[in-house]
Each structure stands twice: as C-alpha cells, then as structure tokens.
Amino acid sequence: MDLRVRALETVLTAKGYVDPAALDALIDTYQTRIGPRNGARVVARAWVDPTYLDWLRRDASAAIADLGYSGRQGEHMRVVENTPVCHNLVVCTLCSCYPWPVLGLPPTWYKSAPYRSRAVRDPRGVLADFGVTLPEATAIRVWDSTAELRYLVLPQRPAGTEGWPEAALADLVTRDSMIGTGLACAPSTPPRPPTPT
Ligand code: FE
C-alpha cells in the first residue's frame, strides 16, 4: 500500500496535479494539529450545557462549527447519542469516511475490511474485541458513514462526575468512545491506552 501511494503521488506530481508541499501541509494538519481532542471538547460541552446539547441534536454541523471545528470531511455532521437503552457504533462499510475535523485521521482498524464488515454483522462481537461489554438489553445501532454524512457518537457521561469542569470532563472522552468502539473513561480509572492507529 505504501509503495502504491508513493507511486501514485510521484505520477500525480510529475503531471502537475499535486503539489507535494500542499500534501505535506494537509497531512501535518490532520496528524498533529487536528485530532480527537476536538471531538472531546464537543462532547464535554454537550455534557455540561443543555442548550448546546439541544443544538447538537438539531444541527450538529452548525453546533460543532461554532466551537471552531469545520472543514474537509466534516461538512455534514450528525451526533448520535448513547443512552442506557441504545449504544451507537459508527462504521464506513464502503471505505473509510470519518469526521476529520473532530476526530483527526481514522485509525487503521477503522479502514480495515474485517471491521467494516463485522461491525454490521456482529457489532456485539466487535465491541467485545475492544473490551466493551454492554447489557443484553442495550440495543446497538450501527451507522454507516458516507461522503455526505458523518457521525460523532456522544458517549454517556460517566457517573461520579457531577460538577466537574468541562476541561476535566473532556479528558475522559477517548477517540474510540466517539466512534462507539469504546466508552468514556470512569473518573477513577486512568484512560486506557489508545488502540493502535
Ligand atoms: Fe467511506
């Protein structure tokens, strides 16, 4: 894959379709400046501010842009809310559509064929692989991202965080909890190490 991408880039550059400096700038932006901390701030704000939560439910694209997160691969956003009776899981069955402005670049497993097919067929099994076991009574809803519409999962606010400041709450929000393959961290447990990218 690496070689094929390099070959493609070389050909496109030679033909003048691609400016390597622009490519580097784009990759650097999404690799080092934009990442899941943006999404975590959206989640934490929704946890503390009912007016903002209501806005997210009605028009996620605008509510997220209001915090300064917009642009490529995040033009049309929908927030899906986890509750005790329904857990949401996001996948792109076709390729790897992912909300870059709030989560950064997708992890490799998100783009893998096994995740893309199994998330639909056996979401509970996928969650188990990520160490997440939900009560049998909790329904799992799977959302298929597309180039037109991307999803951000709003994880449940962990118990025992009443009165916490927004920034401390944001620290409990992991990338995986916003894809649906994880839960927000409990206040007593240190964050799980991130799954490999
Ligand atoms: Fe896709």
Side-chain angles (χ1 to χ4, degrees):
M1 179 64 83
D2 201 35
L3 278 174
R4 289 162 98 179
V5 170
R6 278 165 204 271
L8 253 180
E9 189 182 335
T10 305
V11 172
L12 291 172
T13 303
K15 286 182 178 289
Y17 293 134
V18 153
D19 174 1
L23 263 189
D24 289 346
L26 268 176
I27 292 169
D28 179 66
T29 296
Y30 285 98
Q31 229 162 32
T32 62
R33 294 204 301 111
I34 299 177
R37 298 333 298 158
N38 292 2
R41 284 186 206 104
V42 172
V43 170
R45 174 67 57 86
W47 282 346
V48 299
D49 182 346
T51 309
Y52 186 74
L53 172 61
D54 183 55
W55 191 12
L56 264 187
R57 286 170 176 153
R58 285 182 293 109
D59 186 352
S61 311
I64 291 169
D66 189 62
L67 292 189
Y69 312 133
S70 60
R72 285 162 193 274
Q73 319 285 322
E75 293 88 347
H76 301 288
M77 291 291 306
R78 177 163 173 192
V79 165
V80 288
E81 207 174 329
N82 285 351
T83 69
V85 294
C86 183
H87 179 90
N88 297 284
L89 178 68
V90 179
V91 63
C92 174
T93 55
L94 189 66
C95 43
S96 58
C97 299
Y98 191 75
W100 292 13
V102 279
L103 295 186
L105 294 175
T108 302
W109 56 259
Y110 184 85
K111 300 182 272 190
S112 74
Y115 176 74
R116 283 159 41 210
S117 56
R118 199 158 156 246
V120 176
R121 259 197 346 262
D122 178 22
R124 226 170 265 277
V126 167
L127 288 182
D129 287 350
F130 280 88
V132 175
T133 310
L134 298 172
E136 274 302 314
T138 302
I140 301 175
R141 194 157 180 191
V142 179
W143 300 87
D144 195 359
S145 278
T146 68
E148 282 79 36
L149 186 60
R150 288 141 207 265
Y151 300 91
L152 181 74
V153 173
L154 183 65
Q156 287 188 265
R157 179 171 174 166
T161 58
E162 294 72 19
W164 278 38
E166 205 174 312
L169 287 169
D171 285 340
L172 300 178
V173 182
T174 62
R175 176 196 66 196
D176 290 3
S177 74
M178 293 180 281
I179 302 174
T181 51
L183 307 175
C185 299
S188 49
T189 50
R192 289 162 57 95
T195 49
T197 53

